[in-house]
Amino acid sequence: MDEDAIERGRLLFARECRFVTGAAGLDDLPAADLPEVAFAGRSNVGKSSLLNALTGRKNLARTSNTPGRTRQLNFFDLGGELMLADLPGYGYARASRSEVRSWTRLTMDYLRGRPTLRRVFLLIDARHGLMPTDNEILDLFDNAAVAYQAVLTKADKTKPAELSDRLTEIARSLAKHPAAHPEVIATSAVRKTGIAELRAWLATLDDTESLS
Ligand code: GTP
Ligand code: MG
């Protein structure tokens, strides 16, 4: 990412960000009139923390120590330029089969039926890498024909050598998925690592002209 791109990301995220709505079903989705990006990942991977770090707000998206708290799609309008969607976490060990089914249906309907969706950022815990449930999600994304990009979270919990191995390993796995963006971004919501870079990536996706 060059300096201009970083600056565009900074300016985009200097804008006001407001919570729009939480959707428990397709009928509750907000109007699709802005370019949109979604954040997906296992329960507890750090989605809400990352959204808070990106927007510079401590409590925009609820964070919790209780995995699986966020059971709906939460939408945030970033300065009338870009819609951010926080998808419910998956892979929660204590979820029942019917919960998993309803999660899968809602997510799949959303991914397939959202014309403004530009890219899904798939969050992966830097300590664990891709887990079996993550691989199921990659298949689901491939089936929904949605473009996605991997983001490592909690990079502060890994040693530099481990982080670099993890980045290589994930890039290699994703190379088998044509809809996956080849670049993987490492972030830490605690140390704010990679946040400016991720903002810059997000700013490349907010051009309204190409919406139609
Ligand atoms: P659900 O919505 O429940 O699926 O979780 P989530 O993916 O939104 O995760 P959340 O942001 O609530 O974070 C889960 C836990 O991980 C919390 O205890 C956070 O404080 C912690 N956490 C999140 N990001 C980081 C990070 O970058 N570094 C460290 N060390 N901890 C983090
Ligand atoms: Mg959350």
Side-chain angles (χ1 to χ4, degrees):
M1 277 284 158
D2 59 40
E3 269 174 46
D4 287 350
I6 295 284
E7 180 60 9
R8 279 193 294 277
R10 190 187 68 76
L11 288 173
L12 175 61
F13 279 85
R15 288 167 171 265
E16 185 69 31
C17 189
R18 71 183 175 87
F19 174 70
V20 179
T21 191
L26 281 193
D27 296 343
D28 311 326
L29 294 182
D33 52 13
L34 284 180
E36 189 162 299
V37 294
F39 296 85
R42 289 168 56 80
S43 171
N44 216 36
V45 73
K47 289 182 300 301
S48 302
S49 302
L50 188 65
L51 272 171
N52 289 339
L54 283 169
T55 55
R57 300 260 303 260
K58 278 215 171 73
N59 255 317
L60 183 71
R62 254 184 323 151
T63 54
S64 73
N65 289 309
T66 316
R69 217 20 123 51
T70 326
R71 294 287 170 78
Q72 48 181 15
L73 288 91
N74 290 309
F75 290 87
F76 305 89
D77 178 328
L78 182 58
E81 293 268 322
L82 185 67
M83 187 76 90
L84 312 174
D86 183 9
L87 302 185
Y90 54 84
Y92 177 46
R94 290 188 356 229
S96 67
R97 286 177 64 168
S98 77
E99 279 175 313
V100 172
R101 243 190 332 264
S102 77
W103 180 93
T104 307
R105 170 154 347 111
L106 177 61
T107 306
M108 203 59 194
D109 287 351
Y110 164 76
L111 295 175
R112 282 205 172 122
R114 197 69 175 162
T116 47
L117 181 62
R118 289 307 184 69
R119 191 174 294 171
V120 178
F121 289 84
L122 177 66
L123 276 47
I124 299 160
D125 192 314
R127 293 168 298 181
H128 310 313
L130 286 168
M131 312 264 287
T133 41
D134 293 319
N135 287 310
E136 286 170 29
I137 293 304
L138 295 181
D139 293 340
L140 196 139
F141 288 167
D142 290 334
N143 285 328
V146 57
Y148 55 96
Q149 182 165 9
V151 174
L152 293 185
T153 60
K154 311 191 188 183
D156 57 286
K157 295 237 184 177
T158 58
K159 299 209 171 71
E162 188 191 347
L163 184 63
S164 118
D165 286 353
R166 194 67 20 92
L167 285 165
T168 312
E169 164 199 309
I170 290 172
R172 196 175 295 143
S173 304
L174 290 178
K176 295 172 204 136
H177 296 266
H181 197 281
E183 290 217 39
V184 183
I185 311 159
T187 67
S188 161
V190 169
R191 298 227 186 111
K192 310 287 183 273
T193 326
I195 300 300
E197 192 191 353
L198 182 54
R199 284 179 184 146
W201 277 109
L202 289 159
T204 65
L205 300 166
D206 83 333
D207 52 326
T208 326
E209 272 103 85
S210 44
L211 277 188
S212 57

